[in-house]
Amino acid sequence: MVNLNSFARTSLVAGIFTLFLIKDVATAQSTGTKLNSFQKCLVEAVNADQARVQFPNEPDYASKDVRPYNLNFQFTPAAIMYPSTSLEVAAIVSCASKNNVKVQARSGGHDMTNKALGHSDGNLVVDMKNFRKVEVKGTTGIATIGPGNTLKTLVEGLHTQGARYMPHGSSPSVGIGGHATVGGLGYHSRILGATLDVMTEAEIVIANGSIIRASKDKNSDLFWALRGAGASFGIVTEFKFQTSPEPKEVIDFTYTISSKDIATLTNSFKAYHKIISNKTLEPKLSTVCVVQKNAVIISGSFFGSEAEYSNFDLGRQIPSITNKTVTARLSWSAHMRNSFTFVDSVFPANVYFDAKDTAITYKQLPSNDTIDELFKHLQTGESGSDQWFALMDFYGGAVNQKSSDASAFPHRDVAYFFSVYAASKGETSQTIKSFVDRAILTIQGNQADKFLSYAGISNMRTNKPQQKYWGTNLPRLETLKARFDPSDLFSSPQGVKPA
Ligand SMILES: Cc1cc2nc3c(=O)[nH]c(=O)nc-3n(C[C@H](O)[C@H](O)[C@H](O)COP(=O)(O)OP(=O)(O)OC[C@H]3O[C@@H](n4cnc5c(N)ncnc54)[C@H](O)[C@@H]3O)c2cc1C
Ligand SMILES: *[C@@H]1O[C@H](CO)[C@@H](O)[C@H](O)[C@H]1NC(C)=O
Ligand SMILES: *[C@@H]1O[C@H](CO)[C@@H](O)[C@H](O)[C@H]1NC(C)=O
Ligand SMILES: *[C@@H]1O[C@H](CO)[C@@H](O)[C@H](O)[C@H]1NC(C)=O
Ligand SMILES: *[C@@H]1O[C@H](CO)[C@@H](O)[C@H](O)[C@H]1NC(C)=O
């Protein structure tokens, strides 16, 4: 199509021209219906570039633009915007604010409950896919990263820019925008911390339409809030992260225990659990455990040599292993490719699913009796799901070297996050919900109120979600919300509400 943008700009009567062109857009996009003033404002915000403003009457709006990740949560946003600059983001935010429409940014769109769609019809989604910068300059190793990067494009970009890396999770399609503002935990977090721990600065569009920079020296309150609760405070248009040189060699391992005997699975798990309950365990060792029907799969990485790994080899300490794979001397890139493939294989896209988690601190580790009860439930309970698993992501290490109020992310004494994921062909049933809830409640020793939860694994059945996601940081967040976004423009039901 014609480049409306440059045409209008070079015209002396740009204003009149733009109006005329907007009318054209109106006819084309609304098939006869006139745009309302909110829609006109949005069209102008992206310089009347039709491809970057999508309204619900567009063909394929739901499948191409709304793209709900979890099919349980399908909504019709007022528009999906695809800005290319911070100025455009600011203009879009101003349109929403003037028209009292709620806004959420979207980066990878991988929130478990599609939080970026705002959880009702008629919200505004600002999709950050055009913000794809990955740049490492100078000798400091500080990377400038656009929030439209997925973890996959981030890893590839950092590799080509001088073989750098940083801590983050292992799903290739998770966006850095949501990840870095909520937490960002992965295999190398035991050495480097969470993604938000290596954030040094962010550019963010706030509710009054200002584009501001936040760091420990500039707007430090906002910087504190957006490292853990960013979605409630604005739209990050650029991040800066401290990167490190890629590890020289990585070992990836998988130990599978396949058995129909619950006691066999439980005993292997207890042995594993005892090892990871060690608060001073070597940080170079990182592991996750997946429990499925008739199987416990222990996998992970060791950031060091084979000789060193032999001291920590989980395979020698866990009984009843039926299959072992240990791959040594992997490059960083090869290790990340393996991790991406593994996560893609366990989390299919475009399904109905339920996910729920709880943070297990070193002080609240389950007893052996609780583990027995959990395994009995997981292996014999009616799941109602075509595909379910329980996952334990073991952290500790560098993640716990910060205090719980160092940033809005409160989880600094966590041994592991325990989560249950259950997919199905149709909408998540009551049977599935009960199965998931029961598993979570069991590992909590039936004392749900005493446990926090990771905001990155959102679940709409979570009771008092804000208290669970932010713990003792919630009051400060609510005060800051009242200062930066008093009308709750950046809104979702489980977001921070103004004090
Ligand atoms: C398959 C899968 C695997 C996962 N694995 C891990 C893991 O290993 N470790 C881990 O820590 N987490 C993991 N997560 C959780 C994931 O980190 C969070 O769900 C994260 O918020 C997703 O980010 P996103 O950009 O893809 O999501 P989106 O849905 O785009 O965004 C999520 C939230 O962040 C907000 N947001 C997005 N971009 C911005 C921005 N630029 N500025 C401000 N707010 C923004 C959105 O408004 C929304 O509220 C996983 C999730 C999935 C689905
Ligand atoms: C917007 O809010 C920021 C942060 O509170 C403030 O510095 C700035 O002056 C405000 N801008 C306007 C136009 O009100
Ligand atoms: C915990 O791990 C450290 C480091 O690997 C080890 O030296 C120590 O013996 C372990 N403690 C226990 C109780 O296993
Ligand atoms: C063991 O695991 C490897 C790699 O995951 C797989 O290729 C192989 O088929 C498995 N072997 C058995 C006996 O399950
Ligand atoms: C739990 O069980 C494991 C494995 O059977 C055992 O090694 C451990 O000592 C038990 N823990 C307690 C606290 O009894």
Side-chain angles (χ1 to χ4, degrees):
M1 63 167 283
V2 277
N3 188 342
L4 306 176
N5 182 7
S6 57
F7 194 23
R9 231 186 298 153
T10 51
S11 168
L12 274 176
V13 283
I16 297 162
F17 241 99
T18 308
L19 271 180
F20 169 74
L21 291 165
I22 287 167
K23 225 175 121 209
D24 251 3
V25 171
T27 323
Q29 291 198 329
S30 313
T31 45
T33 356
K34 281 233 167 79
L35 294 188
N36 62 35
S37 62
F38 174 52
Q39 291 171 319
K40 281 184 192 155
C41 185
L42 294 176
V43 170
E44 276 177 76
V46 289
N47 268 305
D49 180 354
Q50 265 192 39
R52 298 192 295 118
V53 44
Q54 298 294 317
F55 296 126
N57 54 333
E58 283 293 309
D60 306 327
Y61 183 68
S63 60
K64 276 216 194 95
D65 298 300
V66 181
R67 292 187 291 106
Y69 176 64
N70 183 343
L71 299 181
N72 281 322
F73 304 100
Q74 304 196 34
F75 304 103
T76 307
I80 312 272
M81 303 299 296
Y82 299 96
S84 305
T85 64
S86 331
L87 279 171
E88 288 183 351
V89 174
I92 293 166
V93 166
S94 298
C95 295
S97 153
K98 269 185 247 153
N99 290 277
N100 285 315
V101 176
K102 302 294 185 195
V103 191
Q104 282 278 280
R106 182 173 69 188
S107 287
H110 266 43
D111 177 69
M112 303 278 178
T113 59
N114 308 344
K115 212 158 54 184
L117 304 179
H119 267 280
S120 53
D121 292 340
N123 300 305
L124 183 63
V125 178
V126 183
D127 188 296
M128 302 303 284
K129 73 171 182 184
N130 296 322
F131 291 71
R132 282 295 185 97
K133 185 187 270 187
V134 178
E135 195 176 85
V136 189
K137 268 195 183 155
T139 51
T140 58
I142 302 245
T144 305
I145 306 289
N149 281 287
T150 60
L151 299 185
K152 183 165 187 281
T153 62
L154 174 76
V155 165
E156 290 166 353
L158 290 179
H159 180 67
T160 55
Q161 304 252 334
R164 311 291 301 182
Y165 91 129
M166 55 180 268
H168 50 69
S170 312
S171 166
S173 37
V174 159
I176 192 69
H179 203 59
T181 51
V182 83
L185 298 153
Y187 283 137
H188 26 308
S189 289
R190 284 178 52 75
I191 303 175
L192 294 175
T195 306
L196 50 76
D197 291 331
V198 296
M199 195 193 299
T200 58
E201 190 178 320
E203 181 187 77
I204 179 169
V205 175
I206 55 175
N208 70 7
S210 290
I211 305 167
I212 64 178
R213 294 229 157 228
S215 66
K216 70 175 180 10
D217 306 316
K218 266 179 286 177
N219 296 303
S220 56
D221 279 348
L222 185 64
F223 188 58
W224 179 86
L226 65 84
R227 286 174 298 150
S232 296
F233 287 87
I235 301 181
V236 174
T237 47
E238 185 182 283
F239 293 107
K240 287 194 192 294
F241 296 113
Q242 179 65 59
T243 65
S244 303
E246 283 178 0
K248 293 267 178 308
E249 52 179 327
V250 186
I251 295 172
D252 283 351
F253 57 83
T254 306
Y255 303 112
T256 305
I257 299 105
S258 288
S259 175
K260 291 201 161 76
D261 178 39
I262 301 178
T264 302
L265 297 175
T266 314
N267 283 335
S268 301
F269 180 81
K270 282 178 186 164
Y272 172 76
H273 194 264
K274 196 174 174 184
I275 298 164
I276 66 159
S277 299
N278 179 354
K279 218 171 174 170
T280 58
L281 190 63
E282 170 58 55
K284 287 180 190 166
L285 180 72
S286 196
T287 157
V288 307
C289 176
V290 171
V291 181
Q292 294 173 347
K293 182 84 179 169
N294 301 331
V296 171
I297 304 160
I298 292 160
S299 63
S301 300
F302 185 79
F303 298 89
S305 69
E306 271 172 291
E308 244 185 304
Y309 179 62
S310 62
N311 300 321
F312 303 99
D313 188 347
L314 296 178
R316 274 195 284 109
Q317 306 171 60
I318 294 165
S320 313
I321 290 171
T322 47
N323 191 359
K324 266 188 203 200
T325 1
V326 179
T327 317
R329 293 189 296 276
L330 287 167
S331 68
W332 172 251
S333 299
H335 154 75
M336 275 319 305
R337 276 196 301 275
N338 287 350
S339 309
F340 286 158
T341 306
F342 172 70
V343 173
D344 268 351
S345 74
V346 290
F347 288 96
N350 291 312
V351 290
Y352 294 87
F353 71 91
D354 191 57
K356 200 172 189 189
D357 91 320
T358 183
I360 306 294
T361 66
Y362 285 102
K363 291 192 197 87
Q364 296 169 304
L365 292 164
S367 66
N368 279 342
D369 286 350
T370 296
I371 292 174
D372 287 332
E373 199 185 326
L374 177 69
F375 269 70
K376 186 169 170 237
H377 170 63
L378 291 174
Q379 297 300 328
T380 65
E382 195 192 334
S383 74
S385 162
D386 305 327
Q387 194 183 358
W388 68 263
F389 60 88
L391 176 70
M392 255 176 318
D393 293 285
F394 170 54
Y395 296 114
V399 179
N400 291 353
Q401 275 153 26
K402 293 230 154 53
S403 67
S404 59
D405 62 358
S407 69
F409 176 85
H411 307 290
R412 302 300 186 170
D413 186 35
V414 167
Y416 55 88
F417 288 93
F418 176 84
S419 54
V420 183
Y421 175 101
S424 49
K425 290 201 184 70
E427 207 171 314
T428 294
S429 65
Q430 191 50 53
T431 307
I432 294 177
K433 290 175 188 170
S434 304
F435 177 76
V436 171
D437 288 349
R438 172 83 190 279
I440 298 293
L441 196 58
T442 301
I443 199 164
Q444 293 171 332
N446 296 309
Q447 297 201 287
D449 288 348
K450 295 192 175 155
F451 290 77
L452 297 184
S453 174
Y454 177 34
I457 315 281
S458 59
N459 184 295
M460 299 313 287
R461 294 191 309 286
T462 298
N463 192 26
K464 298 184 184 156
Q466 289 86 353
Q467 287 178 25
K468 293 252 162 196
Y469 297 151
W470 296 294
T472 50
N473 290 330
L474 184 60
R476 182 173 173 198
L477 281 170
E478 289 169 340
T479 304
L480 291 172
K481 176 78 173 176
R483 193 163 115 209
F484 287 101
D485 185 14
S487 63
D488 196 20
L489 181 67
F490 300 106
S491 184
S492 67
Q494 299 189 332
V496 177
K497 301 297 163 190

